[in-house]
Amino acid sequence: METRDVIIIGSGPAGYTAGIYTARAGLKPLLFEGSIDAGGALMTTTEVENYPGYDDGVMGPDLMLKMRAQAAKFGTEIITDDIVAADLAPDPKKITDSEGNEYFAKAVILAMGAGYRKLGLPDEERLTGRGVSWCATCDGFFFRDKDVAVVGGGDSALEEAMFLTRFANKVTIVHRRDTLRAEAIEVERAKAEPKIAFAWNSVVSAINGDNAVASLTLRDTATGAVSELPVSGVFVAIGAEPRSGLVKGQVDLDESGYVKVAHPSTATNLPGVFACGDLVNYQYRQAVVAAGDGAKAALDVQGYLHLVGTRTTSEISGD
């Protein structure tokens, strides 16, 4: 099998940007974008107003498709499949896809991102697709003229709630505190929206319903009082968990499962393995930050390959 200069596992702003930069460096990257999660979390995001260069905003899926096309334009080979195994210690590193095909590379960039965090309630899985959702843009249409709830207090929760007002009769934001942690502009919009109500100091202790969601049991975090909120749907927006299971036991992780890197670089504890985006950065969770991380990882790969004796196209041409 051919040994590639670099393989990128994951997509989204970090993975696609890493593809753009490594392709422009003449490294002919191979990028596995995932079979289901191709494009990352922004594929389920509505309008993005704070990405530089889009003064009128841009829809999340549109932004990802543009990044993907740009990466492909410069020579990134993109495969819509999942990586199920990775042996990252040897040189070259061995990557295995869902069909059992094996690929080899001198360097690997990890950009698997993070997945939706769940409430961990007994009926959450049972009622998934029957009123329990993690994606308003995917499922909001099905709740036209119904009452729904959004669990969370960050930017994602408020964005979900605002989107749902297009369809739902009423949207109740359930938050464990009495103040929101979202951006001020998002908070102002939510509080000004007549369809949005708030269940402050509340956590969901149960999701109720036989064949579909019928209500939520809420517990007051201050008094312990229990109440029932009748809703037909609940959208969970309480953060994310890193998709680091593929590399657990090989790459150093922190206590929450995020990949550790040698800041300010993107280097992991394994030579030739770099990590970027939401797989690493749990503090900011912004598309522009993930894209910057992808660029850093690509530049770090170029430096690494130069050290181990691989010259890039630009170096060969003398640019």
Side-chain angles (χ1 to χ4, degrees), residues 7-35:
I7 288 176
I8 301 166
I9 305 175
S11 49
Y16 290 144
T17 302
I20 292 168
Y21 272 71
T22 51
R24 283 176 53 83
L27 300 181
K28 299 180 179 178
L30 174 62
L31 186 153
F32 288 88
E33 64 180 351
S35 60

PDB file of all heavy atoms in Angstrom, residues 7-35:
ATOM      1  N   ILE A   7      -2.917  11.751   6.617  1.00  0.00           N
ATOM      2  CA  ILE A   7      -4.330  11.375   6.606  1.00  0.00           C
ATOM      3  C   ILE A   7      -5.030  12.225   7.659  1.00  0.00           C
ATOM      4  O   ILE A   7      -4.532  12.392   8.777  1.00  0.00           O
ATOM      5  CB  ILE A   7      -4.530   9.876   6.912  1.00  0.00           C
ATOM      6  CG1 ILE A   7      -4.064   9.031   5.718  1.00  0.00           C
ATOM      7  CG2 ILE A   7      -5.988   9.571   7.239  1.00  0.00           C
ATOM      8  CD1 ILE A   7      -4.141   7.528   5.960  1.00  0.00           C
ATOM      9  N   ILE A   8      -6.188  12.763   7.291  1.00  0.00           N
ATOM     10  CA  ILE A   8      -6.995  13.568   8.203  1.00  0.00           C
ATOM     11  C   ILE A   8      -8.242  12.770   8.560  1.00  0.00           C
ATOM     12  O   ILE A   8      -8.975  12.327   7.669  1.00  0.00           O
ATOM     13  CB  ILE A   8      -7.390  14.909   7.556  1.00  0.00           C
ATOM     14  CG1 ILE A   8      -6.139  15.694   7.157  1.00  0.00           C
ATOM     15  CG2 ILE A   8      -8.267  15.734   8.510  1.00  0.00           C
ATOM     16  CD1 ILE A   8      -6.424  16.866   6.218  1.00  0.00           C
ATOM     17  N   ILE A   9      -8.473  12.571   9.854  1.00  0.00           N
ATOM     18  CA  ILE A   9      -9.655  11.843  10.315  1.00  0.00           C
ATOM     19  C   ILE A   9     -10.640  12.854  10.881  1.00  0.00           C
ATOM     20  O   ILE A   9     -10.399  13.462  11.923  1.00  0.00           O
ATOM     21  CB  ILE A   9      -9.296  10.795  11.383  1.00  0.00           C
ATOM     22  CG1 ILE A   9      -8.205   9.843  10.871  1.00  0.00           C
ATOM     23  CG2 ILE A   9     -10.532  10.003  11.790  1.00  0.00           C
ATOM     24  CD1 ILE A   9      -7.718   8.858  11.918  1.00  0.00           C
ATOM     25  N   GLY A  10     -11.757  13.053  10.187  1.00  0.00           N
ATOM     26  CA  GLY A  10     -12.752  14.017  10.625  1.00  0.00           C
ATOM     27  C   GLY A  10     -12.865  15.167   9.660  1.00  0.00           C
ATOM     28  O   GLY A  10     -12.008  15.380   8.794  1.00  0.00           O
ATOM     29  N   SER A  11     -13.953  15.916   9.795  1.00  0.00           N
ATOM     30  CA  SER A  11     -14.197  17.028   8.873  1.00  0.00           C
ATOM     31  C   SER A  11     -14.539  18.280   9.667  1.00  0.00           C
ATOM     32  O   SER A  11     -13.805  18.644  10.588  1.00  0.00           O
ATOM     33  CB  SER A  11     -15.301  16.641   7.880  1.00  0.00           C
ATOM     34  OG  SER A  11     -16.432  16.098   8.538  1.00  0.00           O
ATOM     35  N   GLY A  12     -15.655  18.935   9.352  1.00  0.00           N
ATOM     36  CA  GLY A  12     -15.969  20.176  10.031  1.00  0.00           C
ATOM     37  C   GLY A  12     -14.954  21.259   9.707  1.00  0.00           C
ATOM     38  O   GLY A  12     -14.080  21.086   8.847  1.00  0.00           O
ATOM     39  N   PRO A  13     -15.040  22.404  10.370  1.00  0.00           N
ATOM     40  CA  PRO A  13     -14.110  23.505  10.090  1.00  0.00           C
ATOM     41  C   PRO A  13     -12.653  23.107  10.282  1.00  0.00           C
ATOM     42  O   PRO A  13     -11.786  23.523   9.512  1.00  0.00           O
ATOM     43  CB  PRO A  13     -14.522  24.588  11.093  1.00  0.00           C
ATOM     44  CG  PRO A  13     -15.911  24.255  11.481  1.00  0.00           C
ATOM     45  CD  PRO A  13     -16.017  22.769  11.405  1.00  0.00           C
ATOM     46  N   ALA A  14     -12.367  22.302  11.311  1.00  0.00           N
ATOM     47  CA  ALA A  14     -10.983  21.909  11.581  1.00  0.00           C
ATOM     48  C   ALA A  14     -10.451  20.967  10.506  1.00  0.00           C
ATOM     49  O   ALA A  14      -9.383  21.188   9.935  1.00  0.00           O
ATOM     50  CB  ALA A  14     -10.878  21.253  12.953  1.00  0.00           C
ATOM     51  N   GLY A  15     -11.196  19.913  10.218  1.00  0.00           N
ATOM     52  CA  GLY A  15     -10.725  18.930   9.251  1.00  0.00           C
ATOM     53  C   GLY A  15     -10.610  19.485   7.844  1.00  0.00           C
ATOM     54  O   GLY A  15      -9.607  19.264   7.150  1.00  0.00           O
ATOM     55  N   TYR A  16     -11.640  20.218   7.396  1.00  0.00           N
ATOM     56  CA  TYR A  16     -11.600  20.766   6.043  1.00  0.00           C
ATOM     57  C   TYR A  16     -10.497  21.810   5.895  1.00  0.00           C
ATOM     58  O   TYR A  16      -9.833  21.884   4.849  1.00  0.00           O
ATOM     59  CB  TYR A  16     -12.947  21.379   5.679  1.00  0.00           C
ATOM     60  CG  TYR A  16     -14.059  20.373   5.473  1.00  0.00           C
ATOM     61  CD1 TYR A  16     -15.374  20.653   5.860  1.00  0.00           C
ATOM     62  CD2 TYR A  16     -13.810  19.131   4.884  1.00  0.00           C
ATOM     63  CE1 TYR A  16     -16.396  19.738   5.667  1.00  0.00           C
ATOM     64  CE2 TYR A  16     -14.821  18.210   4.690  1.00  0.00           C
ATOM     65  CZ  TYR A  16     -16.121  18.515   5.081  1.00  0.00           C
ATOM     66  OH  TYR A  16     -17.130  17.605   4.895  1.00  0.00           O
ATOM     67  N   THR A  17     -10.298  22.644   6.923  1.00  0.00           N
ATOM     68  CA  THR A  17      -9.224  23.636   6.840  1.00  0.00           C
ATOM     69  C   THR A  17      -7.860  22.952   6.805  1.00  0.00           C
ATOM     70  O   THR A  17      -6.963  23.368   6.059  1.00  0.00           O
ATOM     71  CB  THR A  17      -9.288  24.619   8.015  1.00  0.00           C
ATOM     72  OG1 THR A  17     -10.568  25.259   8.022  1.00  0.00           O
ATOM     73  CG2 THR A  17      -8.207  25.680   7.907  1.00  0.00           C
ATOM     74  N   ALA A  18      -7.696  21.900   7.607  1.00  0.00           N
ATOM     75  CA  ALA A  18      -6.451  21.133   7.555  1.00  0.00           C
ATOM     76  C   ALA A  18      -6.239  20.569   6.156  1.00  0.00           C
ATOM     77  O   ALA A  18      -5.116  20.533   5.640  1.00  0.00           O
ATOM     78  CB  ALA A  18      -6.476  20.005   8.581  1.00  0.00           C
ATOM     79  N   GLY A  19      -7.339  20.145   5.505  1.00  0.00           N
ATOM     80  CA  GLY A  19      -7.244  19.656   4.136  1.00  0.00           C
ATOM     81  C   GLY A  19      -6.806  20.737   3.168  1.00  0.00           C
ATOM     82  O   GLY A  19      -5.958  20.504   2.300  1.00  0.00           O
ATOM     83  N   ILE A  20      -7.373  21.928   3.315  1.00  0.00           N
ATOM     84  CA  ILE A  20      -7.001  23.050   2.441  1.00  0.00           C
ATOM     85  C   ILE A  20      -5.510  23.339   2.554  1.00  0.00           C
ATOM     86  O   ILE A  20      -4.800  23.465   1.559  1.00  0.00           O
ATOM     87  CB  ILE A  20      -7.824  24.299   2.805  1.00  0.00           C
ATOM     88  CG1 ILE A  20      -9.307  24.091   2.459  1.00  0.00           C
ATOM     89  CG2 ILE A  20      -7.274  25.536   2.088  1.00  0.00           C
ATOM     90  CD1 ILE A  20     -10.231  25.138   3.045  1.00  0.00           C
ATOM     91  N   TYR A  21      -5.023  23.448   3.779  1.00  0.00           N
ATOM     92  CA  TYR A  21      -3.628  23.844   4.004  1.00  0.00           C
ATOM     93  C   TYR A  21      -2.649  22.746   3.596  1.00  0.00           C
ATOM     94  O   TYR A  21      -1.607  23.036   2.997  1.00  0.00           O
ATOM     95  CB  TYR A  21      -3.428  24.232   5.470  1.00  0.00           C
ATOM     96  CG  TYR A  21      -3.708  25.688   5.758  1.00  0.00           C
ATOM     97  CD1 TYR A  21      -4.994  26.186   5.729  1.00  0.00           C
ATOM     98  CD2 TYR A  21      -2.681  26.579   6.057  1.00  0.00           C
ATOM     99  CE1 TYR A  21      -5.263  27.516   5.982  1.00  0.00           C
ATOM    100  CE2 TYR A  21      -2.931  27.916   6.322  1.00  0.00           C
ATOM    101  CZ  TYR A  21      -4.221  28.381   6.281  1.00  0.00           C
ATOM    102  OH  TYR A  21      -4.480  29.701   6.538  1.00  0.00           O
ATOM    103  N   THR A  22      -2.932  21.497   3.930  1.00  0.00           N
ATOM    104  CA  THR A  22      -1.999  20.428   3.560  1.00  0.00           C
ATOM    105  C   THR A  22      -2.019  20.193   2.050  1.00  0.00           C
ATOM    106  O   THR A  22      -0.985  19.871   1.451  1.00  0.00           O
ATOM    107  CB  THR A  22      -2.330  19.120   4.305  1.00  0.00           C
ATOM    108  OG1 THR A  22      -3.726  18.805   4.133  1.00  0.00           O
ATOM    109  CG2 THR A  22      -2.005  19.235   5.783  1.00  0.00           C
ATOM    110  N   ALA A  23      -3.180  20.366   1.421  1.00  0.00           N
ATOM    111  CA  ALA A  23      -3.239  20.205  -0.037  1.00  0.00           C
ATOM    112  C   ALA A  23      -2.437  21.298  -0.734  1.00  0.00           C
ATOM    113  O   ALA A  23      -1.704  21.033  -1.696  1.00  0.00           O
ATOM    114  CB  ALA A  23      -4.695  20.229  -0.499  1.00  0.00           C
ATOM    115  N   ARG A  24      -2.567  22.532  -0.267  1.00  0.00           N
ATOM    116  CA  ARG A  24      -1.818  23.635  -0.868  1.00  0.00           C
ATOM    117  C   ARG A  24      -0.312  23.485  -0.652  1.00  0.00           C
ATOM    118  O   ARG A  24       0.483  24.044  -1.406  1.00  0.00           O
ATOM    119  CB  ARG A  24      -2.308  24.969  -0.301  1.00  0.00           C
ATOM    120  CG  ARG A  24      -3.634  25.424  -0.912  1.00  0.00           C
ATOM    121  CD  ARG A  24      -4.137  26.702  -0.259  1.00  0.00           C
ATOM    122  NE  ARG A  24      -3.135  27.753  -0.270  1.00  0.00           N
ATOM    123  CZ  ARG A  24      -2.891  28.567  -1.304  1.00  0.00           C
ATOM    124  NH1 ARG A  24      -3.589  28.424  -2.422  1.00  0.00           N
ATOM    125  NH2 ARG A  24      -1.976  29.509  -1.232  1.00  0.00           N
ATOM    126  N   ALA A  25       0.055  22.711   0.368  1.00  0.00           N
ATOM    127  CA  ALA A  25       1.472  22.449   0.610  1.00  0.00           C
ATOM    128  C   ALA A  25       1.993  21.285  -0.232  1.00  0.00           C
ATOM    129  O   ALA A  25       3.164  20.904  -0.115  1.00  0.00           O
ATOM    130  CB  ALA A  25       1.704  22.162   2.085  1.00  0.00           C
ATOM    131  N   GLY A  26       1.132  20.705  -1.064  1.00  0.00           N
ATOM    132  CA  GLY A  26       1.553  19.615  -1.932  1.00  0.00           C
ATOM    133  C   GLY A  26       1.628  18.277  -1.251  1.00  0.00           C
ATOM    134  O   GLY A  26       2.286  17.358  -1.760  1.00  0.00           O
ATOM    135  N   LEU A  27       0.915  18.095  -0.120  1.00  0.00           N
ATOM    136  CA  LEU A  27       1.015  16.849   0.644  1.00  0.00           C
ATOM    137  C   LEU A  27      -0.023  15.810   0.228  1.00  0.00           C
ATOM    138  O   LEU A  27      -0.035  14.703   0.767  1.00  0.00           O
ATOM    139  CB  LEU A  27       0.889  17.138   2.144  1.00  0.00           C
ATOM    140  CG  LEU A  27       1.950  18.074   2.715  1.00  0.00           C
ATOM    141  CD1 LEU A  27       1.735  18.261   4.214  1.00  0.00           C
ATOM    142  CD2 LEU A  27       3.354  17.543   2.441  1.00  0.00           C
ATOM    143  N   LYS A  28      -0.918  16.167  -0.705  1.00  0.00           N
ATOM    144  CA  LYS A  28      -1.938  15.245  -1.216  1.00  0.00           C
ATOM    145  C   LYS A  28      -2.681  14.528  -0.080  1.00  0.00           C
ATOM    146  O   LYS A  28      -2.669  13.297   0.010  1.00  0.00           O
ATOM    147  CB  LYS A  28      -1.311  14.233  -2.170  1.00  0.00           C
ATOM    148  CG  LYS A  28      -0.666  14.872  -3.393  1.00  0.00           C
ATOM    149  CD  LYS A  28      -0.056  13.843  -4.318  1.00  0.00           C
ATOM    150  CE  LYS A  28       0.568  14.505  -5.539  1.00  0.00           C
ATOM    151  NZ  LYS A  28       1.209  13.512  -6.448  1.00  0.00           N
ATOM    152  N   PRO A  29      -3.330  15.276   0.788  1.00  0.00           N
ATOM    153  CA  PRO A  29      -3.977  14.654   1.959  1.00  0.00           C
ATOM    154  C   PRO A  29      -5.158  13.771   1.585  1.00  0.00           C
ATOM    155  O   PRO A  29      -5.857  14.008   0.598  1.00  0.00           O
ATOM    156  CB  PRO A  29      -4.452  15.870   2.756  1.00  0.00           C
ATOM    157  CG  PRO A  29      -4.640  16.940   1.727  1.00  0.00           C
ATOM    158  CD  PRO A  29      -3.534  16.724   0.742  1.00  0.00           C
ATOM    159  N   LEU A  30      -5.359  12.747   2.404  1.00  0.00           N
ATOM    160  CA  LEU A  30      -6.533  11.889   2.326  1.00  0.00           C
ATOM    161  C   LEU A  30      -7.378  12.194   3.552  1.00  0.00           C
ATOM    162  O   LEU A  30      -6.898  12.087   4.687  1.00  0.00           O
ATOM    163  CB  LEU A  30      -6.118  10.416   2.302  1.00  0.00           C
ATOM    164  CG  LEU A  30      -7.244   9.382   2.354  1.00  0.00           C
ATOM    165  CD1 LEU A  30      -8.148   9.508   1.138  1.00  0.00           C
ATOM    166  CD2 LEU A  30      -6.656   7.966   2.446  1.00  0.00           C
ATOM    167  N   LEU A  31      -8.630  12.585   3.340  1.00  0.00           N
ATOM    168  CA  LEU A  31      -9.492  13.010   4.433  1.00  0.00           C
ATOM    169  C   LEU A  31     -10.711  12.108   4.523  1.00  0.00           C
ATOM    170  O   LEU A  31     -11.447  11.943   3.551  1.00  0.00           O
ATOM    171  CB  LEU A  31      -9.917  14.475   4.228  1.00  0.00           C
ATOM    172  CG  LEU A  31     -10.717  15.156   5.339  1.00  0.00           C
ATOM    173  CD1 LEU A  31     -10.487  16.667   5.303  1.00  0.00           C
ATOM    174  CD2 LEU A  31     -12.224  14.883   5.229  1.00  0.00           C
ATOM    175  N   PHE A  32     -10.937  11.519   5.710  1.00  0.00           N
ATOM    176  CA  PHE A  32     -12.132  10.727   5.984  1.00  0.00           C
ATOM    177  C   PHE A  32     -13.116  11.619   6.744  1.00  0.00           C
ATOM    178  O   PHE A  32     -12.892  11.951   7.904  1.00  0.00           O
ATOM    179  CB  PHE A  32     -11.778   9.488   6.797  1.00  0.00           C
ATOM    180  CG  PHE A  32     -11.030   8.457   6.002  1.00  0.00           C
ATOM    181  CD1 PHE A  32      -9.643   8.492   5.912  1.00  0.00           C
ATOM    182  CD2 PHE A  32     -11.712   7.445   5.325  1.00  0.00           C
ATOM    183  CE1 PHE A  32      -8.949   7.551   5.166  1.00  0.00           C
ATOM    184  CE2 PHE A  32     -11.025   6.503   4.574  1.00  0.00           C
ATOM    185  CZ  PHE A  32      -9.638   6.549   4.498  1.00  0.00           C
ATOM    186  N   GLU A  33     -14.214  11.996   6.067  1.00  0.00           N
ATOM    187  CA  GLU A  33     -15.118  12.972   6.664  1.00  0.00           C
ATOM    188  C   GLU A  33     -16.231  12.353   7.503  1.00  0.00           C
ATOM    189  O   GLU A  33     -16.983  13.065   8.170  1.00  0.00           O
ATOM    190  CB  GLU A  33     -15.742  13.851   5.579  1.00  0.00           C
ATOM    191  CG  GLU A  33     -16.613  13.114   4.599  1.00  0.00           C
ATOM    192  CD  GLU A  33     -17.214  14.035   3.548  1.00  0.00           C
ATOM    193  OE1 GLU A  33     -17.082  15.270   3.691  1.00  0.00           O
ATOM    194  OE2 GLU A  33     -17.815  13.522   2.584  1.00  0.00           O
ATOM    195  N   GLY A  34     -16.337  11.020   7.515  1.00  0.00           N
ATOM    196  CA  GLY A  34     -17.386  10.349   8.270  1.00  0.00           C
ATOM    197  C   GLY A  34     -18.576  10.029   7.381  1.00  0.00           C
ATOM    198  O   GLY A  34     -18.897  10.772   6.449  1.00  0.00           O
ATOM    199  N   SER A  35     -19.256   8.941   7.683  1.00  0.00           N
ATOM    200  CA  SER A  35     -20.394   8.525   6.861  1.00  0.00           C
ATOM    201  C   SER A  35     -21.689   9.203   7.280  1.00  0.00           C
ATOM    202  O   SER A  35     -22.567   9.447   6.454  1.00  0.00           O
ATOM    203  CB  SER A  35     -20.571   7.002   6.944  1.00  0.00           C
ATOM    204  OG  SER A  35     -20.806   6.606   8.290  1.00  0.00           O
TER     205      SER A  35
END
